[in-house]
Amino acid sequence: MSKEDSNPVITVADRGPYIVVNLNKFENLHGRKYLLKPVMSLCRCGESKDKPYCDGAHNSIEIDWEKNSERTEYKWKNYVGDEIIIHFNLSLCSHNGACRDNLPEVFNLDSRPWINANGSSIGNIIETIKKCPSGALSYTINNQKFTEYNYEEPIIKASKKGPIEVLGGVELKDPKGNKPEVKDHYVLCGCGWSKNKPFCDGHHLEKIKEQK
Ligand code: SF4
Ligand code: FES
């Protein structure tokens, strides 16, 4: 078997689950291991009773499987500091709050602009940006742009409430042609409510609120 044949791959099934092959690390957002199978189907509609795995629920529900024209506009904004430029694209954000929670001096939703690229040390800012799973944050130093973060190995971290974080370079095959912004980290929608499918856009938070 060639190396390519043993690399992990996710295929987006038409009106169905994510089919995952060759994955070696699969856990929840808190690091608890999930059962690994050589071929796994992960829930994409959000209605499986066996999440994160698919139980066939998608066959009996109606959801919008495609990108929605009302999704957030794809637009990069630059936040320029003395030594670093932080790039942010709201349309890619999965709203997990890792930036805000880890470095509120820089990422503060109550401030305008909400990102202050001079708010902390370069080291702290880079460390925090590397915690962003979605590709919504990147940075430039000395005219060199950094978008990929060199994870040790491919890993999928799935939340039963929706987001499926795909880190470390897992190839995504989507017959509809959708590609992640950054190959080595992206977040897939597992709740069925994203307007930017197959990627998460944070709408699982509204779904969770509605189901309370
Ligand atoms: S996905 Fe990235 S930009 Fe969005 S809240 Fe999380 S860390 Fe911040
Ligand atoms: S998991 Fe569906 S929008 Fe985030």
Side-chain angles (χ1 to χ4, degrees):
M1 191 190 273
S2 71
K3 183 161 182 320
E4 283 70 31
D5 290 339
S6 60
N7 286 341
V9 177
I10 299 173
T11 303
V12 183
D14 188 22
R15 304 176 71 80
Y18 301 109
I19 313 295
V20 183
V21 298
N22 297 334
L23 188 71
N24 287 319
K25 242 182 153 187
F26 184 36
E27 52 188 49
N28 71 9
L29 298 184
H30 308 290
R32 194 175 65 80
K33 303 248 178 307
Y34 285 129
L35 180 68
L36 260 177
K37 305 171 199 169
V39 181
M40 302 188 292
S41 299
L42 303 186
C43 178
R44 183 155 86 96
C45 70
E47 300 307 319
S48 169
K49 299 264 182 299
D50 188 28
K51 281 195 234 93
Y53 309 99
C54 166
D55 70 354
H58 56 276
N59 289 314
S60 46
I61 59 154
E62 275 300 323
I63 64 163
D64 184 0
W65 295 96
E66 308 297 334
K67 280 197 194 308
N68 188 301
S69 57
E70 290 169 17
R71 67 186 179 276
T72 302
E73 183 190 3
Y74 178 93
K75 188 173 173 188
W76 282 100
K77 287 192 176 174
N78 297 326
Y79 299 84
V80 181
D82 295 335
E83 296 176 83
I84 190 167
I85 303 172
I86 300 174
H87 312 288
F88 174 66
N89 189 329
L90 179 61
S91 73
L92 305 172
C93 175
S94 64
H95 297 266
N96 77 344
C99 52
R100 181 196 61 201
D101 295 347
N102 282 284
L103 205 56
E105 311 91 283
V106 173
F107 302 96
N108 184 343
L109 290 172
D110 294 328
S111 297
R112 286 294 172 270
W114 82 281
I115 295 178
N116 173 9
N118 286 325
S120 187
S121 70
I122 301 299
N124 285 343
I125 292 175
I126 293 172
E127 195 183 318
T128 301
I129 289 178
K130 287 184 173 179
K131 290 192 168 82
C132 173
S134 67
L137 283 173
S138 54
Y139 62 96
T140 294
I141 294 178
N142 293 334
N143 294 322
Q144 189 178 353
K145 191 169 183 188
F146 296 87
T147 57
E148 310 237 343
Y149 303 142
N150 302 319
Y151 296 88
E152 277 172 19
E153 58 182 327
I155 179 170
I156 293 182
K157 298 184 180 188
S159 157
K160 291 190 179 180
K161 295 191 170 150
I164 300 171
E165 299 183 358
V166 185
L167 312 173
V170 179
E171 184 186 355
L172 183 72
K173 288 186 180 169
D174 183 350
K176 300 275 158 64
N178 295 300
K179 291 190 189 336
E181 177 76 19
V182 184
K183 280 189 195 152
D184 90 334
H185 56 280
Y186 53 93
V187 183
L188 293 170
C189 173
C191 79
W193 276 36
S194 174
K195 293 187 188 303
N196 188 32
K197 294 191 182 79
F199 305 105
C200 166
D201 69 355
H203 269 89
H204 55 275
L205 298 173
E206 275 180 35
K207 184 174 184 181
I208 292 166
K209 221 187 278 172
E210 193 158 295
Q211 289 176 338
K212 269 188 185 160

